Amino acid sequence: MKKRVAILISGGGSNMVALVKSMTGDHPARPVLVLANDPTAGGLKKAQDMGIKTAAIDHRPFGNDRHAFEAKLTAALTDAQPDVICLAGFMRVLTSEFVDHWNRRILNIHPSLLPKYKGLHTHSRAIQAGDSHAGCSVHMVTAKLDDGPILGQAKLAIRPDDTPDTLAQRILPYEHKLYPQVLRRFVVDDQTPVILP
Ligand code: GAR
């Protein structure tokens, strides 16, 4: 029986595409749903073009009521019956109730070498701090933002002429390699960290 993977996105969905493309052949999992909190997220069309079921739940009408928004998310996810939920550029903070409901089944990719630079603007913070390296991390989601056990990291040297944009562009291909490798392990209950390159 293949494991069922739901992917949550907010934007272009390049990590989602990398995850979907990895789940073919003898891969032990299959994508069952791509869900966005923004109906205009570019990744929705990409998922449809790959034949994946999609859904959009706009968070904006819910205002500050995170629980009401998440109730809709949980309803859509419950229909899809995921074994694993991959956050892939999903830019909403989740409540502890949501995280507890999907306990130990949610993964996230974050564009920094966690535990450094939780939250936003990771690349400019790494450059401003004068760090020698930057990178990305995949971790299990817990109630604390960008916390939780690290399941994989990819690291690259920051160049003297890097800007936040060039660094983001150079890290993204590493994200596309790292996340599928972590997922492939995770769905067979292997949480040995993946270290790239
Ligand atoms: C990725 O760089 C991902 O690491 C980041 O958003 C981008 C989404 O790109 N995620 C976060 O910042 C989460 N805090 P994508 O839509 O092309 O996958």
Side-chain angles (χ1 to χ4, degrees), residues 9-17 43 46 87-92 108-112 117-123 135-137 139 145-146 168 171-172 175-176 179:
I9 62 169
S10 296
S14 69
N15 276 289
M16 175 276 295
V17 170
K46 291 178 195 162
L87 309 184
F90 185 69
M91 304 306 278
R92 303 302 302 162
N108 180 43
I109 187 151
H110 185 72
S112 79
Y117 313 128
K118 298 172 183 181
L120 298 175
H121 311 302
T122 54
H123 307 302
C136 51
S137 309
H139 65 98
L145 181 70
D146 298 329
I171 290 174
L172 202 54
E175 297 189 29
H176 300 162
Y179 210 172

Side-chain angles (χ1 to χ4, degrees), residues 146-157:
D146 298 329
D147 209 78
I150 293 172
L151 302 174
Q153 277 186 328
K155 186 173 172 180
L156 75 165

Side-chain angles (χ1 to χ4, degrees), residues 6-178:
I7 306 171
L8 270 51
I9 62 169
S10 296
S14 69
N15 276 289
M16 175 276 295
V17 170
L19 289 169
V20 167
K21 286 190 169 163
S22 74
M23 286 183 265
T24 57
D26 67 356
H27 195 291
R30 288 292 182 269
V32 294
L33 178 68
V34 169
L35 196 159
N37 65 301
D38 177 352
T40 67
L44 288 173
K45 166 106 175 49
K46 291 178 195 162
Q48 285 155 9
D49 289 348
M50 293 187 293
I52 314 299
K53 187 174 175 199
T54 62
I57 300 171
D58 192 341
H59 67 278
R60 285 165 296 196
F62 298 96
N64 290 331
D65 192 347
R66 287 186 191 276
H67 288 102
F69 167 64
E70 289 177 354
K72 294 279 183 199
L73 274 190
T74 287
L77 288 167
T78 301
D79 276 352
Q81 298 189 322
D83 298 294
V84 181
I85 298 168
C86 290
L87 309 184
F90 185 69
M91 304 306 278
R92 303 302 302 162
V93 173
L94 297 167
T95 66
S96 56
E97 289 82 2
F98 182 90
V99 173
D100 285 350
H101 183 92
W102 300 102
N103 185 29
R104 303 183 67 80
R105 277 181 281 175
I106 312 177
L107 304 182
N108 180 43
I109 187 151
H110 185 72
S112 79
L113 293 172
L114 289 172
K116 281 189 159 182
Y117 313 128
K118 298 172 183 181
L120 298 175
H121 311 302
T122 54
H123 307 302
S124 56
R125 287 158 71 198
I127 291 170
Q128 264 170 24
D131 289 358
S132 62
H133 288 80
C136 51
S137 309
V138 176
H139 65 98
M140 193 187 289
V141 172
T142 58
K144 261 174 94 181
L145 181 70
D146 298 329
D147 209 78
I150 293 172
L151 302 174
Q153 277 186 328
K155 186 173 172 180
L156 75 165
I158 298 179
R159 294 177 183 153
D161 60 347
D162 262 324
T163 65
D165 280 351
T166 61
L167 195 53
Q169 278 167 28
R170 294 200 302 113
I171 290 174
L172 202 54
Y174 287 84
E175 297 189 29
H176 300 162
K177 285 197 190 88
L178 180 69

